[in-house]
Amino acid sequence: MEFQDNPTPLAIGRVQQENRRLFSILDAEQNPSRRGEIFHEYLSVQFALHQWQDYQNSARSSLRNSYVRYLRGWAVDSNSIEGAVLKGWVHSRIGIAPTFHGVPLVGDAAGFDRYAIDRIRGSTRTNAIESQLDLLFEFCQHELRRRHPLDRWLTLYRGTFDGAAYQHVESSAPANPVVRMNNISSFTSDRECAWEFGSTVWEVRVPLSKIFFFSDLLPESILRGEQEYLVIGGEYRVRKLLF
């Protein structure tokens, strides 16, 4: 809870320093949609994603399955192989283990093994997916600081049909319970949209530095936006909304 109340910037190693040319170009671009295109073009060259059609069989498949494939896979099913890769990235880079992947993972060795297998299968499908996700997170953070220069938090919403299934941490403020979220979870900036995803909706003040991705980060030509935010998990103080 200390981090939610007093967040600090997060950075993945020397990713920005080692890709300083990209971030210098982004700094000079005023159009946010064009910045998303520049980022995608840079990754396509950096990881040879634009050359996938020149390869055959498994090599072609590996190059085609870029970071966009994993974002789309998450949007369809967060408990998919693509979802396991995103959860694995958070575990590897941020140190927060997943708590759910099809089944609750805490205390379920078999469930955790299935998650680990999905993660391995997903990671072998593409060309350096964790390095792609490193750059995606750094781009997201760079863009959030640019779009919200005076903010440290965004108010986001999460809908769920099974709020009781979440682990509730003991809190001194019953009206604002502390809930342990999965290590990466979907939120929305649209309060009304959150009700489409569950009968319980939580309002959460999310640190900018814990936002891994948001749909408006990339142009619709690359990934269709639906006001979704992927948020790095852990413990969050929430406010339950009334319908």
Side-chain angles (χ1 to χ4, degrees), residues 94-220:
I94 310 299
I96 303 175
T99 58
F100 191 90
H101 186 70
V103 296
L105 299 181
V106 179
D108 185 341
F112 199 89
D113 286 346
R114 287 193 295 272
Y115 149 72
I117 291 170
D118 278 354
R119 179 186 177 185
I120 292 169
R121 289 172 61 194
S123 296
T124 58
R125 284 183 171 183
T126 194
N127 184 25
I129 184 57
E130 290 206 340
S131 295
Q132 293 182 45
L133 297 178
D134 290 345
L135 268 166
L136 179 63
F137 175 73
E138 289 293 339
F139 173 49
C140 177
Q141 289 296 301
H142 183 271
E143 192 69 16
L144 285 169
R145 289 191 292 269
R146 185 163 182 172
R147 298 191 192 192
H148 305 277
L150 302 180
D151 297 324
R152 298 170 69 192
W153 300 267
L154 287 182
T155 298
L156 300 176
Y157 306 91
R158 177 166 174 81
T160 176
F161 284 105
D162 196 7
Y166 287 75
Q167 183 177 353
H168 286 63
V169 181
E170 189 171 338
S171 172
S172 59
N176 299 102
V178 175
V179 175
R180 180 166 291 122
M181 303 284 180
N182 205 353
N183 72 342
I184 184 167
S185 300
S186 291
F187 285 73
T188 177
S189 58
D190 186 334
R191 175 174 174 155
E192 298 306 315
C193 180
W195 291 106
E196 299 176 12
F197 296 93
S199 53
T200 295
V201 170
W202 289 318
E203 180 185 271
V204 186
R205 191 171 72 151
V206 175
L208 290 182
S209 54
K210 292 191 77 173
I211 296 174
F212 169 74
F213 173 79
F214 59 99
S215 55
D216 289 342
L217 185 64
L218 300 172
E220 287 197 7

